[in-house]
Amino acid sequence: MVTTTLKNGNRSVKIRAEKLSFFYGNVQALFDVSMQVEAARVTALIGPSGCGKSTFLRTLNRMNDIIENTRITGRVLVDDKDIYASGSDVFALRRKVGMVFQKSNPFPKSIFENVAYGPRIGGLNDHRKLAGIVERSLIKAALWDEVKDRLDSSAMDLSGGQQQRLCIARALAVDPEIVLMDEPASALDPRSTARIEDLIAELRKDYTIVIVTHNMQQAARVSDFTAFFYEGQLIEFGPTKKIFTKPDEQQTEDYITGRFG
């Protein structure tokens, strides 16, 4: 996979938010958020419910565009290109920046057709090539061995954890460079959650991952960097180990130690 990145000292910056503010009508949900996301790393967004972390995540591939009466100020750059600039190709952006949602949402189709859906929409109809993409994507999502003999079965027959990994495979099938995950394990049992966390650890080798999680132990386990949001503001951002052991802000320490939130 070819990944274009910016250089910032010794770091490769994949996403850059600059003074980003977001509004739902007259209600401001984000306030001048500026942060950088490094390539081939996992960045976790934490904070109490309603703090703006999911809103921020959705600005990174313009998923908020589908909500009426919203607007942004500031910029979001992916590979140094402003994704909100006039004439930006949103379809191309969402191929590059895939997304996995909190609730698994497989299509009422076969396992094969779920994974092949994105490439088909992109114009690929060669069955042999599609079969190769499906197999590679399911392998990357750690699901191939469990479903390889029943690819024509309905995706709706899979367990909850399997469905979520299928949705990850579907996101990977269009060969993104960035994968956004909005609480991907919050509805899963502990065993399935562990599988998702192991999968994230594997995917970080090839993808830039940004994950929203309400589970601070999960953030500590899976991420390289952590951003703490509170009431629409980015309170603190830095290496996960530092955020969880020696944060700069008292507010961050209070949240992590359970004093509020």
Side-chain angles (χ1 to χ4, degrees):
M1 178 183 298
V2 177
T3 302
T4 305
T5 57
L6 296 172
K7 295 295 181 182
N8 180 27
N10 294 322
R11 299 178 179 179
S12 298
V13 178
K14 191 68 174 172
I15 306 170
R16 189 192 307 272
E18 297 179 347
K19 294 187 177 300
L20 179 68
S21 294
F22 187 86
F23 301 81
Y24 295 100
N26 294 323
V27 177
Q28 188 167 356
L30 295 173
F31 297 81
D32 292 327
V33 175
S34 295
M35 64 178 279
Q36 299 176 347
V37 174
E38 291 192 18
R41 295 291 186 269
V42 180
T43 298
L45 311 181
I46 65 171
S49 296
C51 68
K53 56 189 184 292
S54 290
T55 295
F56 177 75
L57 187 78
R58 293 193 300 266
T59 66
L60 304 182
N61 70 344
R62 295 185 55 170
M63 283 299 294
N64 287 322
D65 287 11
I66 64 176
I67 303 172
E68 292 185 3
N69 197 27
T70 60
R71 63 185 177 91
I72 74 157
T73 61
R75 300 199 301 169
V76 176
L77 297 98
V78 174
D79 290 334
D80 204 26
K81 295 180 180 178
D82 185 352
I83 66 174
Y84 286 91
S86 177
S88 294
D89 185 338
V90 178
F91 180 76
L93 171 69
R94 290 178 185 157
R95 286 179 63 90
K96 186 172 189 174
V97 187
M99 191 158 190
V100 178
F101 296 93
Q102 178 177 1
K103 187 178 185 332
S104 58
N105 58 341
F107 302 140
K109 300 174 180 286
S110 70
I111 295 168
F112 183 96
E113 289 300 333
N114 264 267
V115 183
Y117 181 82
R120 283 195 193 278
I121 292 295
L124 180 62
N125 290 305
D126 184 298
H127 186 78
R128 182 175 296 180
K129 290 181 179 178
L130 285 171
I133 291 170
V134 169
E135 180 175 348
R136 287 193 300 273
S137 301
L138 289 169
I139 289 172
K140 287 181 178 179
L143 189 58
W144 173 251
D145 288 342
E146 297 169 44
V147 302
K148 62 184 179 181
D149 296 324
R150 50 176 176 142
L151 295 178
D152 293 330
S153 299
S154 172
M156 311 308 289
D157 294 335
L158 297 175
S159 69
Q162 288 174 325
Q163 287 186 4
Q164 191 64 297
R165 281 182 283 145
L166 178 67
C167 291
I168 292 172
R170 192 172 65 198
L172 300 180
V174 296
D175 199 24
E177 296 178 18
I178 300 164
V179 180
L180 311 178
M181 297 184 172
D182 193 354
E183 300 198 37
S186 65
L188 303 180
D189 60 74
R191 183 177 180 182
S192 296
T193 295
R195 294 292 299 273
I196 295 293
E197 291 182 5
D198 290 344
L199 176 55
I200 291 169
E202 284 296 313
L203 293 176
R204 65 156 36 103
K205 299 172 185 176
D206 299 309
Y207 304 92
T208 301
I209 298 173
V210 185
I211 177 172
V212 167
T213 178
H214 69 284
N215 184 325
M216 285 181 290
Q217 290 76 23
Q218 182 175 83
R221 287 192 296 265
V222 306
S223 69
D224 303 289
F225 296 90
T226 296
F228 169 52
F229 283 78
Y230 184 69
E231 293 186 348
Q233 299 186 59
L234 176 60
I235 304 301
E236 189 167 354
F237 173 71
T240 294
K241 185 175 181 180
K242 182 179 186 302
I243 294 291
F244 278 86
T245 59
K246 196 176 180 180
D248 292 330
E249 301 295 331
Q250 184 63 46
Q251 202 170 16
T252 308
E253 182 175 339
D254 288 347
Y255 179 72
I256 286 172
T257 56
R259 292 175 191 161
F260 78 95

